[in-house]
CSV table of all heavy atoms in Angstrom, one decimal:
chain,number,residue,atom,x,y,z
W,100,ALA,N,115.8,126.6,114.9
W,100,ALA,CA,115.4,125.3,115.1
W,100,ALA,C,114.4,125.0,114.0
W,100,ALA,O,114.3,123.8,113.6
W,100,ALA,CB,114.7,125.0,116.5
W,101,LEU,N,113.8,126.0,113.4
W,101,LEU,CA,112.8,125.8,112.4
W,101,LEU,C,113.4,125.7,111.0
W,101,LEU,O,112.8,125.2,110.0
W,101,LEU,CB,111.8,126.9,112.3
W,101,LEU,CG,110.9,126.9,113.5
W,101,LEU,CD1,110.1,128.3,113.6
W,101,LEU,CD2,109.7,125.8,113.3
W,102,ASP,N,114.7,126.2,110.8
W,102,ASP,CA,115.2,126.6,109.5
W,102,ASP,C,115.2,125.5,108.6
W,102,ASP,O,114.6,125.6,107.4
W,102,ASP,CB,116.7,126.9,109.7
W,102,ASP,CG,116.9,128.4,110.1
W,102,ASP,OD1,115.8,129.0,110.0
W,102,ASP,OD2,117.9,128.8,110.5
W,103,ASP,N,115.5,124.2,108.9
W,103,ASP,CA,115.5,123.1,108.0
W,103,ASP,C,114.3,122.4,107.8
W,103,ASP,O,114.1,121.5,106.9
W,103,ASP,CB,116.8,122.2,108.1
W,103,ASP,CG,118.0,122.9,108.1
W,103,ASP,OD1,118.1,123.8,107.2
W,103,ASP,OD2,118.9,122.6,108.9
W,104,SER,N,113.3,122.6,108.7
W,104,SER,CA,112.2,121.7,108.8
W,104,SER,C,110.9,122.3,108.4
W,104,SER,O,109.9,121.7,108.2
W,104,SER,CB,112.0,121.3,110.3
W,104,SER,OG,113.2,121.1,110.9
W,105,LEU,N,110.9,123.6,108.3
W,105,LEU,CA,109.6,124.4,108.0
W,105,LEU,C,109.1,124.1,106.6
W,105,LEU,O,110.0,124.0,105.6
W,105,LEU,CB,109.9,125.9,108.3
W,105,LEU,CG,108.7,126.8,108.6
W,105,LEU,CD1,108.1,126.2,109.9
W,105,LEU,CD2,109.1,128.1,108.8
W,106,VAL,N,107.8,123.9,106.4
W,106,VAL,CA,107.3,124.0,105.1
W,106,VAL,C,106.3,125.3,104.9
W,106,VAL,O,105.6,125.6,105.9
W,106,VAL,CB,106.4,122.6,104.8
W,106,VAL,CG1,107.2,121.5,104.5
W,106,VAL,CG2,105.4,122.4,105.9
W,107,ILE,N,106.5,125.9,103.8
W,107,ILE,CA,105.6,127.0,103.6
W,107,ILE,C,105.0,127.0,102.3
W,107,ILE,O,105.7,126.7,101.2
W,107,ILE,CB,106.5,128.3,103.6
W,107,ILE,CG1,107.2,128.5,105.0
W,107,ILE,CG2,105.7,129.7,103.4
W,107,ILE,CD1,108.4,129.5,105.1
W,108,TYR,N,103.7,127.0,102.3
W,108,TYR,CA,103.0,127.0,100.9
W,108,TYR,C,102.1,128.3,100.8
W,108,TYR,O,101.6,128.8,101.9
W,108,TYR,CB,102.0,125.8,100.8
W,108,TYR,CG,102.9,124.5,100.9
W,108,TYR,CD1,102.6,123.6,102.0
W,108,TYR,CD2,103.5,124.0,99.8
W,108,TYR,CE1,103.2,122.4,102.0
W,108,TYR,CE2,104.1,122.6,99.9
W,108,TYR,CZ,103.9,121.9,101.0
W,108,TYR,OH,104.6,120.7,101.1
W,109,GLN,N,102.0,128.7,99.7
W,109,GLN,CA,101.0,129.8,99.4
W,109,GLN,C,100.2,129.6,98.2
W,109,GLN,O,100.6,128.9,97.3
W,109,GLN,CB,101.8,131.1,99.4
W,109,GLN,CG,103.0,131.1,98.5
W,109,GLN,CD,103.8,132.4,98.5
W,109,GLN,OE1,103.4,133.2,97.7
W,109,GLN,NE2,104.8,132.6,99.4
W,110,GLY,N,99.0,130.3,98.1
W,110,GLY,CA,98.2,130.3,96.9
W,110,GLY,C,97.7,128.9,96.7
W,110,GLY,O,97.4,128.1,97.5
W,111,PRO,N,97.9,128.4,95.4
W,111,PRO,CA,97.3,127.1,95.0
W,111,PRO,C,97.9,125.9,95.8
W,111,PRO,O,97.4,125.1,96.1
W,111,PRO,CB,97.7,127.0,93.5
W,111,PRO,CG,97.9,128.5,93.1
W,111,PRO,CD,98.3,129.2,94.3
W,112,GLU,N,99.4,126.1,96.1
W,112,GLU,CA,100.0,125.1,96.8
W,112,GLU,C,99.4,124.9,98.2
W,112,GLU,O,99.4,123.8,98.6
W,112,GLU,CB,101.5,125.4,96.9
W,112,GLU,CG,102.3,125.0,95.7
W,112,GLU,CD,102.1,125.9,94.5
W,112,GLU,OE1,102.1,127.1,94.8
W,112,GLU,OE2,102.0,125.5,93.4
W,113,ALA,N,99.1,126.0,98.8
W,113,ALA,CA,98.5,125.9,100.2
W,113,ALA,C,97.2,125.3,100.1
W,113,ALA,O,97.0,124.4,100.8
W,113,ALA,CB,98.4,127.4,100.7
W,114,VAL,N,96.3,125.6,99.1
W,114,VAL,CA,95.0,125.0,99.1
W,114,VAL,C,95.3,123.5,98.9
W,114,VAL,O,94.6,122.6,99.5
W,114,VAL,CB,94.3,125.5,97.9
W,114,VAL,CG1,92.8,124.8,97.8
W,114,VAL,CG2,94.0,127.1,98.2
W,115,ARG,N,96.1,123.1,97.9
W,115,ARG,CA,96.3,121.7,97.5
W,115,ARG,C,96.8,121.0,98.7
W,115,ARG,O,96.3,119.8,99.0
W,115,ARG,CB,97.4,121.7,96.5
W,115,ARG,CG,97.6,120.2,96.0
W,115,ARG,CD,98.5,120.1,94.8
W,115,ARG,NE,98.0,120.8,93.7
W,115,ARG,CZ,98.6,121.9,93.1
W,115,ARG,NH1,99.9,122.3,93.7
W,115,ARG,NH2,98.1,122.7,92.1
W,116,HIS,N,97.8,121.6,99.5
W,116,HIS,CA,98.3,120.8,100.8
W,116,HIS,C,97.1,120.7,101.7
W,116,HIS,O,97.1,119.5,102.2
W,116,HIS,CB,99.4,121.7,101.3
W,116,HIS,CG,99.9,121.2,102.6
W,116,HIS,ND1,100.9,120.1,102.6
W,116,HIS,CD2,99.7,121.5,104.0
W,116,HIS,CE1,101.0,119.7,103.9
W,116,HIS,NE2,100.5,120.6,104.6
W,117,ILE,N,96.3,121.6,101.9
W,117,ILE,CA,95.3,121.3,102.9
W,117,ILE,C,94.4,120.3,102.4
W,117,ILE,O,93.9,119.4,103.2
W,117,ILE,CB,94.4,122.7,103.2
W,117,ILE,CG1,95.5,123.8,103.8
W,117,ILE,CG2,93.3,122.5,104.2
W,117,ILE,CD1,95.0,125.2,103.9
W,118,PHE,N,94.0,120.4,101.2
W,118,PHE,CA,93.1,119.2,100.6
W,118,PHE,C,93.7,117.8,100.8
W,118,PHE,O,93.1,116.9,101.2
W,118,PHE,CB,92.8,119.5,99.2
W,118,PHE,CG,91.9,120.6,98.9
W,118,PHE,CD1,91.5,121.0,97.6
W,118,PHE,CD2,91.3,121.3,100.1
W,118,PHE,CE1,90.6,122.0,97.4
W,118,PHE,CE2,90.3,122.4,99.7
W,118,PHE,CZ,90.1,122.8,98.5
W,119,ARG,N,95.1,117.8,100.5
W,119,ARG,CA,95.8,116.5,100.5
W,119,ARG,C,95.8,116.0,102.0
W,119,ARG,O,95.7,114.8,102.3
W,119,ARG,CB,97.2,116.6,99.9
W,119,ARG,CG,97.1,116.8,98.4
W,119,ARG,CD,98.5,116.8,97.9
W,119,ARG,NE,99.1,115.6,97.9
W,119,ARG,CZ,100.1,115.1,98.5
W,119,ARG,NH1,100.8,115.8,99.3
W,119,ARG,NH2,100.5,113.7,98.4
W,120,VAL,N,96.1,116.9,103.0
W,120,VAL,CA,96.2,116.4,104.3
W,120,VAL,C,94.9,115.9,104.8
W,120,VAL,O,94.8,114.8,105.4
W,120,VAL,CB,96.6,117.7,105.3
W,120,VAL,CG1,96.3,117.4,106.7
W,120,VAL,CG2,98.0,118.1,105.0
W,121,ALA,N,93.8,116.6,104.5
W,121,ALA,CA,92.4,116.2,105.0
W,121,ALA,C,92.1,114.8,104.3
W,121,ALA,O,91.4,114.1,105.0
W,121,ALA,CB,91.4,117.3,104.6
W,122,SER,N,92.5,114.6,103.1
W,122,SER,CA,92.2,113.3,102.5
W,122,SER,C,93.1,112.1,102.9
W,122,SER,O,92.9,111.1,102.4
W,122,SER,CB,92.3,113.6,100.9
W,122,SER,OG,91.6,114.6,100.4
W,123,GLY,N,94.1,112.5,103.8
W,123,GLY,CA,95.0,111.4,104.2
W,123,GLY,C,96.0,111.1,103.2
W,123,GLY,O,96.8,110.1,103.2
W,124,LEU,N,96.2,112.0,102.2
W,124,LEU,CA,97.2,111.7,101.2
W,124,LEU,C,98.6,112.1,101.6
W,124,LEU,O,99.6,111.7,101.1
W,124,LEU,CB,96.9,112.5,99.8
W,124,LEU,CG,95.7,112.0,99.0
W,124,LEU,CD1,95.2,113.0,98.0
W,124,LEU,CD2,96.2,110.7,98.3
W,125,ASP,N,98.6,112.9,102.7
W,125,ASP,CA,99.9,113.3,103.1
W,125,ASP,C,100.3,112.6,104.5
W,125,ASP,O,101.2,113.0,105.2
W,125,ASP,CB,99.9,114.9,103.4
W,125,ASP,CG,101.3,115.5,103.7
W,125,ASP,OD1,102.2,115.2,102.7
W,125,ASP,OD2,101.5,116.2,104.6
W,126,SER,N,99.5,111.7,104.8
W,126,SER,CA,99.6,110.9,106.1
W,126,SER,C,100.8,109.9,106.1
W,126,SER,O,101.0,109.3,104.9
W,126,SER,CB,98.3,110.2,106.7
W,126,SER,OG,97.4,111.3,106.7
W,127,VAL,N,101.3,109.5,107.1
W,127,VAL,CA,102.2,108.4,107.3
W,127,VAL,C,101.6,107.2,106.7
W,127,VAL,O,102.2,106.3,105.8
W,127,VAL,CB,102.8,108.2,108.6
W,127,VAL,CG1,103.8,107.1,108.6
W,127,VAL,CG2,103.4,109.4,109.2
W,128,VAL,N,100.5,106.8,107.3
W,128,VAL,CA,99.6,105.7,106.7
W,128,VAL,C,98.6,106.2,105.7
W,128,VAL,O,97.7,107.0,106.1
W,128,VAL,CB,98.9,104.9,107.8
W,128,VAL,CG1,98.1,103.8,107.2
W,128,VAL,CG2,99.9,104.3,108.7
W,129,LEU,N,98.9,106.0,104.4
W,129,LEU,CA,98.1,106.6,103.4
W,129,LEU,C,96.6,106.3,103.6
W,129,LEU,O,96.2,105.2,103.9
W,129,LEU,CB,98.6,106.0,102.0
W,129,LEU,CG,98.1,106.6,100.8
W,129,LEU,CD1,98.5,108.0,100.6
W,129,LEU,CD2,98.4,105.8,99.5
W,130,GLY,N,95.8,107.4,103.5
W,130,GLY,CA,94.4,107.3,103.4
W,130,GLY,C,93.9,107.0,105.0
W,130,GLY,O,92.7,106.8,105.1
W,131,GLU,N,94.7,107.2,106.0
W,131,GLU,CA,94.1,107.0,107.3
W,131,GLU,C,93.1,108.2,107.7
W,131,GLU,O,93.2,109.2,107.3
W,131,GLU,CB,95.3,107.0,108.4
W,131,GLU,CG,96.2,108.2,108.4
W,131,GLU,CD,95.7,109.2,109.4
W,131,GLU,OE1,94.9,108.8,110.3
W,131,GLU,OE2,96.2,110.4,109.4
W,132,PRO,N,92.2,107.7,108.3
W,132,PRO,CA,90.9,108.6,108.6
W,132,PRO,C,91.0,109.6,109.7
W,132,PRO,O,90.3,110.6,109.7
W,132,PRO,CB,89.7,107.6,108.8
W,132,PRO,CG,90.4,106.6,109.4
W,132,PRO,CD,91.9,106.3,108.9
W,133,GLN,N,92.0,109.3,110.7
W,133,GLN,CA,92.0,110.2,112.0
W,133,GLN,C,92.2,111.7,111.6
W,133,GLN,O,91.6,112.5,112.2
W,133,GLN,CB,93.0,109.6,112.9
W,133,GLN,CG,92.6,108.4,113.7
W,133,GLN,CD,93.2,107.2,112.9
W,133,GLN,OE1,93.3,107.2,111.8
W,133,GLN,NE2,93.3,106.1,113.7
W,134,ILE,N,93.0,111.9,110.7
W,134,ILE,CA,93.4,113.2,110.4
W,134,ILE,C,92.3,114.2,110.1
W,134,ILE,O,92.3,115.4,110.4
W,134,ILE,CB,94.5,113.3,109.3
W,134,ILE,CG1,95.1,114.7,108.9
W,134,ILE,CG2,93.9,112.7,107.9
W,134,ILE,CD1,96.0,115.1,110.2
W,135,LEU,N,91.3,113.7,109.3
W,135,LEU,CA,90.1,114.4,109.0
W,135,LEU,C,89.4,114.9,110.3
W,135,LEU,O,89.0,116.0,110.4
W,135,LEU,CB,89.2,113.7,108.1
W,135,LEU,CG,87.9,114.4,107.7
W,135,LEU,CD1,88.3,115.6,106.9
W,135,LEU,CD2,87.1,113.4,106.8
W,136,GLY,N,89.3,114.0,111.3
W,136,GLY,CA,88.6,114.3,112.5
W,136,GLY,C,89.5,115.5,113.3
W,136,GLY,O,89.0,116.3,113.9
W,137,GLN,N,90.8,115.1,113.2
W,137,GLN,CA,91.6,116.1,114.0
W,137,GLN,C,91.5,117.5,113.3
W,137,GLN,O,91.5,118.6,114.1
W,137,GLN,CB,93.1,115.7,113.9
W,137,GLN,CG,93.3,114.5,114.7
W,137,GLN,CD,94.6,113.7,114.3
W,137,GLN,OE1,95.1,113.8,113.2
W,137,GLN,NE2,95.2,112.9,115.3
W,138,LEU,N,91.4,117.5,111.9
W,138,LEU,CA,91.3,118.9,111.3
W,138,LEU,C,89.9,119.5,111.6
W,138,LEU,O,89.7,120.8,111.8
W,138,LEU,CB,91.4,118.7,109.7
W,138,LEU,CG,91.4,120.0,109.0
W,138,LEU,CD1,92.5,121.0,109.5
W,138,LEU,CD2,91.6,119.7,107.4
W,139,LYS,N,89.0,118.6,111.6
W,139,LYS,CA,87.6,119.2,112.0
W,139,LYS,C,87.7,119.8,113.5
W,139,LYS,O,87.0,120.9,113.6
W,139,LYS,CB,86.5,118.0,111.9
W,139,LYS,CG,86.0,117.9,110.5
W,139,LYS,CD,85.0,117.0,110.4
W,139,LYS,CE,84.4,116.7,109.0
W,139,LYS,NZ,83.8,115.5,108.7
Side-chain angles (χ1 to χ4, degrees):
Chain W
L101 288 165
D102 280 350
D103 298 326
S104 317
L105 209 60
V106 287
I107 301 165
Y108 298 109
Q109 41 180 275
E112 276 77 41
V114 176
R115 184 176 303 115
H116 176 76
I117 296 169
F118 287 179
R119 291 186 74 245
V120 166
S122 303
L124 286 167
D125 196 52
S126 298
V127 179
V128 177
L129 191 63
E131 57 94 12
Q133 283 92 334
I134 186 68
L135 181 58
Q137 289 162 337
L138 183 57
K139 279 183 176 162

